[in-house]
Amino acid sequence: MLPLIEGRERGWPLWAWLCLAAALMLFAAFMVRERAVAGRRAAPLVHPGLFHDRAFSAGLLTQLFFYFGQASFFLVFAVYVQNAEDSARCRRASCSSPSAAATWPRR
């Protein structure tokens, strides 16, 4: 996330591109390892055969886009609230309390 957040402000330096490339390489290495674990009849974290199921792949992409939207909203919201100078600190801190209370685990 850091390269996507800071990259534009800093003119897309080399470290931002290297971080993005490293993320792709780490994901590829993870998938290779998972296939090797599945080939040994062990229990992989994510079974590679799941990606051939259209419902799983579609659900994964849907969840990915939902997460990107939610993470983007909370990042922008946090920066907006921090920069609001016309309200008191306590009031700014309480802006995110409803979403924190809504996501609190219940039993």
Side-chain angles (χ1 to χ4, degrees):
M1 290 292 297
L2 182 67
L4 296 175
I5 295 169
E6 294 290 326
R8 184 174 178 194
E9 285 184 12
R10 298 182 187 218
W12 296 106
L14 179 62
W15 65 264
W17 293 108
L18 291 175
C19 286
L20 292 171
L24 290 175
M25 287 188 287
L26 285 172
F27 179 71
F30 173 74
M31 290 307 296
V32 167
R33 184 183 184 290
E34 292 300 293
R35 285 189 179 142
V37 169
R40 291 190 309 245
R41 306 253 186 222
L45 292 174
V46 178
H47 197 281
L50 284 174
F51 292 100
H52 297 293
D53 183 14
R54 282 187 170 199
F56 177 79
S57 296
L60 193 63
L61 282 174
T62 303
Q63 186 64 29
L64 182 72
F65 286 123
F66 175 76
Y67 172 75
F68 281 158
Q70 186 179 18
S72 300
F73 169 77
F74 281 112
L75 175 69
V76 171
F77 182 70
V79 171
Y80 172 76
V81 169
Q82 287 175 6
N83 291 332
E85 296 178 12
D86 61 332
S87 60
R89 288 184 186 147
C90 187
R91 184 175 177 176
R92 286 184 285 186
S94 66
C95 285
S96 59
S97 297
S99 84
T103 58
W104 190 264
R106 293 180 178 86
R107 291 197 177 218

